[in-house]
Short mmCIF file of all heavy atoms in Angstrom, two decimals:
data_model
loop_
_atom_site.label_atom_id
_atom_site.label_comp_id
_atom_site.label_asym_id
_atom_site.label_seq_id
_atom_site.Cartn_x
_atom_site.Cartn_y
_atom_site.Cartn_z
N ARG A 739 -141.16 -85.78 96.47
CA ARG A 739 -140.72 -86.98 97.20
C ARG A 739 -140.59 -88.18 96.27
O ARG A 739 -139.60 -88.93 96.33
CB ARG A 739 -141.71 -87.28 98.33
CG ARG A 739 -141.35 -88.52 99.14
CD ARG A 739 -142.37 -88.77 100.23
NE ARG A 739 -142.13 -90.04 100.90
CZ ARG A 739 -142.94 -90.58 101.81
NH1 ARG A 739 -144.05 -89.94 102.17
NH2 ARG A 739 -142.65 -91.74 102.37
N VAL A 740 -141.58 -88.35 95.40
CA VAL A 740 -141.56 -89.48 94.48
C VAL A 740 -140.42 -89.33 93.48
O VAL A 740 -139.68 -90.29 93.19
CB VAL A 740 -142.92 -89.61 93.76
CG1 VAL A 740 -142.81 -90.62 92.62
CG2 VAL A 740 -144.00 -90.04 94.74
N ALA A 741 -140.24 -88.12 92.94
CA ALA A 741 -139.17 -87.90 91.95
C ALA A 741 -137.80 -88.15 92.56
O ALA A 741 -136.93 -88.79 91.93
CB ALA A 741 -139.26 -86.48 91.40
N GLU A 742 -137.59 -87.68 93.77
CA GLU A 742 -136.29 -87.90 94.42
C GLU A 742 -136.07 -89.38 94.71
O GLU A 742 -134.96 -89.90 94.54
CB GLU A 742 -136.22 -87.08 95.71
CG GLU A 742 -136.13 -85.57 95.46
CD GLU A 742 -136.16 -84.77 96.75
OE1 GLU A 742 -136.44 -85.38 97.82
OE2 GLU A 742 -135.90 -83.55 96.69
N SER A 743 -137.12 -90.05 95.14
CA SER A 743 -137.00 -91.49 95.41
C SER A 743 -136.71 -92.26 94.13
O SER A 743 -135.90 -93.20 94.11
CB SER A 743 -138.29 -92.01 96.05
OG SER A 743 -138.48 -91.45 97.33
N ALA A 744 -137.37 -91.88 93.03
CA ALA A 744 -137.14 -92.55 91.75
C ALA A 744 -135.71 -92.35 91.28
O ALA A 744 -135.07 -93.29 90.77
CB ALA A 744 -138.13 -92.04 90.71
N ALA A 745 -135.20 -91.13 91.44
CA ALA A 745 -133.82 -90.86 91.03
C ALA A 745 -132.84 -91.69 91.84
O ALA A 745 -131.86 -92.23 91.30
CB ALA A 745 -133.53 -89.37 91.18
N ARG A 746 -133.08 -91.83 93.13
CA ARG A 746 -132.21 -92.66 93.97
C ARG A 746 -132.31 -94.13 93.55
O ARG A 746 -131.29 -94.82 93.41
CB ARG A 746 -132.61 -92.53 95.44
CG ARG A 746 -132.25 -91.23 96.11
CD ARG A 746 -132.90 -91.16 97.49
NE ARG A 746 -132.54 -92.29 98.33
CZ ARG A 746 -133.28 -92.74 99.36
NH1 ARG A 746 -134.45 -92.16 99.64
NH2 ARG A 746 -132.87 -93.74 100.09
N ALA A 747 -133.53 -94.59 93.35
CA ALA A 747 -133.74 -96.00 93.04
C ALA A 747 -133.09 -96.38 91.71
O ALA A 747 -132.56 -97.49 91.56
CB ALA A 747 -135.23 -96.31 92.99
N ALA A 748 -133.13 -95.48 90.75
CA ALA A 748 -132.57 -95.77 89.43
C ALA A 748 -131.07 -96.00 89.49
O ALA A 748 -130.51 -96.65 88.59
CB ALA A 748 -132.90 -94.64 88.47
N ARG A 749 -130.43 -95.51 90.53
CA ARG A 749 -128.99 -95.66 90.65
C ARG A 749 -128.59 -96.89 91.45
O ARG A 749 -127.40 -97.19 91.58
CB ARG A 749 -128.38 -94.41 91.31
CG ARG A 749 -128.55 -93.13 90.51
CD ARG A 749 -127.70 -92.00 91.08
NE ARG A 749 -128.12 -91.60 92.43
CZ ARG A 749 -129.01 -90.65 92.68
NH1 ARG A 749 -129.57 -89.99 91.67
NH2 ARG A 749 -129.33 -90.34 93.93
N ARG A 750 -129.56 -97.58 91.99
CA ARG A 750 -129.24 -98.73 92.83
C ARG A 750 -128.99 -99.97 91.98
O ARG A 750 -129.43 -100.07 90.83
CB ARG A 750 -130.38 -99.00 93.83
CG ARG A 750 -130.71 -97.81 94.72
CD ARG A 750 -129.47 -97.14 95.30
NE ARG A 750 -128.69 -98.06 96.11
CZ ARG A 750 -127.39 -97.93 96.37
NH1 ARG A 750 -126.70 -96.92 95.85
NH2 ARG A 750 -126.77 -98.81 97.12
N PRO A 751 -128.26 -100.96 92.51
CA PRO A 751 -127.88 -102.14 91.72
C PRO A 751 -129.07 -103.00 91.34
O PRO A 751 -130.12 -102.98 92.00
CB PRO A 751 -126.93 -102.89 92.66
CG PRO A 751 -127.29 -102.43 94.03
CD PRO A 751 -127.72 -101.00 93.89
N ARG A 752 -128.88 -103.76 90.26
CA ARG A 752 -129.89 -104.72 89.80
C ARG A 752 -129.26 -106.11 89.80
O ARG A 752 -128.06 -106.27 89.91
CB ARG A 752 -130.38 -104.35 88.41
CG ARG A 752 -131.07 -103.00 88.33
CD ARG A 752 -131.75 -102.80 86.98
NE ARG A 752 -132.42 -101.51 86.95
CZ ARG A 752 -132.06 -100.48 86.18
NH1 ARG A 752 -131.02 -100.61 85.36
NH2 ARG A 752 -132.72 -99.34 86.22
N LEU A 753 -130.11 -107.10 89.66
CA LEU A 753 -129.63 -108.47 89.53
C LEU A 753 -128.83 -108.60 88.24
O LEU A 753 -129.25 -108.11 87.19
CB LEU A 753 -130.81 -109.45 89.52
CG LEU A 753 -131.67 -109.45 90.79
CD1 LEU A 753 -132.93 -110.27 90.56
CD2 LEU A 753 -130.90 -109.98 91.98
N GLU A 754 -127.69 -109.27 88.31
CA GLU A 754 -126.79 -109.31 87.15
C GLU A 754 -126.46 -110.71 86.66
O GLU A 754 -125.95 -110.87 85.55
CB GLU A 754 -125.49 -108.58 87.49
CG GLU A 754 -125.68 -107.09 87.75
CD GLU A 754 -124.37 -106.37 88.04
OE1 GLU A 754 -123.36 -107.07 88.25
OE2 GLU A 754 -124.37 -105.13 88.04
N THR A 755 -126.73 -111.73 87.46
CA THR A 755 -126.39 -113.08 87.05
C THR A 755 -127.58 -114.01 87.24
O THR A 755 -128.48 -113.74 88.03
CB THR A 755 -125.21 -113.63 87.88
OG1 THR A 755 -125.63 -113.79 89.24
CG2 THR A 755 -124.02 -112.68 87.82
N ALA A 756 -127.55 -115.10 86.50
CA ALA A 756 -128.62 -116.09 86.64
C ALA A 756 -128.67 -116.65 88.06
O ALA A 756 -129.76 -116.89 88.61
CB ALA A 756 -128.42 -117.21 85.63
N SER A 757 -127.52 -116.83 88.66
CA SER A 757 -127.51 -117.38 90.02
C SER A 757 -128.16 -116.42 91.01
O SER A 757 -128.84 -116.85 91.96
CB SER A 757 -126.08 -117.70 90.46
OG SER A 757 -125.28 -116.54 90.46
N GLU A 758 -127.97 -115.12 90.80
CA GLU A 758 -128.63 -114.15 91.67
C GLU A 758 -130.14 -114.19 91.47
O GLU A 758 -130.91 -114.16 92.44
CB GLU A 758 -128.12 -112.73 91.36
CG GLU A 758 -126.71 -112.47 91.82
CD GLU A 758 -126.22 -111.09 91.43
OE1 GLU A 758 -126.81 -110.46 90.53
OE2 GLU A 758 -125.23 -110.63 92.03
N VAL A 759 -130.57 -114.26 90.22
CA VAL A 759 -132.01 -114.30 89.94
C VAL A 759 -132.64 -115.54 90.57
O VAL A 759 -133.71 -115.49 91.18
CB VAL A 759 -132.26 -114.30 88.42
CG1 VAL A 759 -133.73 -114.58 88.11
CG2 VAL A 759 -131.84 -112.96 87.82
N MET A 760 -131.96 -116.67 90.47
CA MET A 760 -132.54 -117.95 90.87
C MET A 760 -132.30 -118.32 92.32
O MET A 760 -132.75 -119.38 92.77
CB MET A 760 -131.97 -119.06 89.97
CG MET A 760 -132.30 -118.88 88.50
SD MET A 760 -131.38 -120.02 87.44
CE MET A 760 -132.03 -121.59 88.00
N ALA A 761 -131.65 -117.46 93.06
CA ALA A 761 -131.22 -117.80 94.42
C ALA A 761 -132.37 -118.20 95.33
O ALA A 761 -132.18 -118.99 96.26
CB ALA A 761 -130.44 -116.64 95.03
N THR A 762 -133.56 -117.68 95.09
CA THR A 762 -134.68 -117.94 96.01
C THR A 762 -135.70 -118.92 95.46
O THR A 762 -136.74 -119.14 96.10
CB THR A 762 -135.39 -116.62 96.37
OG1 THR A 762 -135.91 -116.02 95.17
CG2 THR A 762 -134.43 -115.64 97.02
N ILE A 763 -135.45 -119.50 94.30
CA ILE A 763 -136.45 -120.41 93.72
C ILE A 763 -136.58 -121.69 94.53
O ILE A 763 -137.69 -122.16 94.79
CB ILE A 763 -136.07 -120.75 92.26
CG1 ILE A 763 -136.28 -119.54 91.36
CG2 ILE A 763 -136.94 -121.91 91.75
CD1 ILE A 763 -135.91 -119.80 89.91
N ALA A 764 -135.46 -122.27 94.90
CA ALA A 764 -135.48 -123.60 95.50
C ALA A 764 -134.57 -123.69 96.71
O ALA A 764 -133.52 -124.35 96.66
CB ALA A 764 -135.09 -124.64 94.45
N PRO A 765 -134.92 -123.03 97.82
CA PRO A 765 -134.06 -123.10 99.01
C PRO A 765 -133.96 -124.53 99.53
O PRO A 765 -134.94 -125.27 99.53
CB PRO A 765 -134.78 -122.19 100.01
CG PRO A 765 -136.19 -122.15 99.55
CD PRO A 765 -136.14 -122.25 98.06
N LEU A 766 -132.76 -124.90 99.93
CA LEU A 766 -132.56 -126.26 100.44
C LEU A 766 -131.46 -126.27 101.48
O LEU A 766 -130.32 -125.91 101.19
CB LEU A 766 -132.19 -127.20 99.29
CG LEU A 766 -131.86 -128.65 99.71
CD1 LEU A 766 -133.09 -129.32 100.31
CD2 LEU A 766 -131.33 -129.45 98.53
N ASP A 767 -131.82 -126.68 102.69
CA ASP A 767 -130.86 -126.96 103.74
C ASP A 767 -130.93 -128.47 103.97
O ASP A 767 -131.71 -128.95 104.80
CB ASP A 767 -131.21 -126.18 105.01
CG ASP A 767 -130.20 -126.38 106.12
OD1 ASP A 767 -129.44 -127.36 106.07
OD2 ASP A 767 -130.17 -125.55 107.06
N ALA A 768 -130.13 -129.21 103.20
CA ALA A 768 -130.25 -130.67 103.19
C ALA A 768 -130.02 -131.28 104.57
O ALA A 768 -130.73 -132.21 104.97
CB ALA A 768 -129.28 -131.26 102.18
N ALA A 769 -129.06 -130.75 105.29
CA ALA A 769 -128.77 -131.31 106.62
C ALA A 769 -129.96 -131.14 107.55
O ALA A 769 -130.35 -132.07 108.27
CB ALA A 769 -127.53 -130.64 107.21
#
């Protein structure tokens, strides 16, 4: 079960841009 899950997970996308990485640092709904 763990090996199959690891194989699936390794194929899944990762964060690729600084904006994606930083998206949750400083949430702001100014209105």
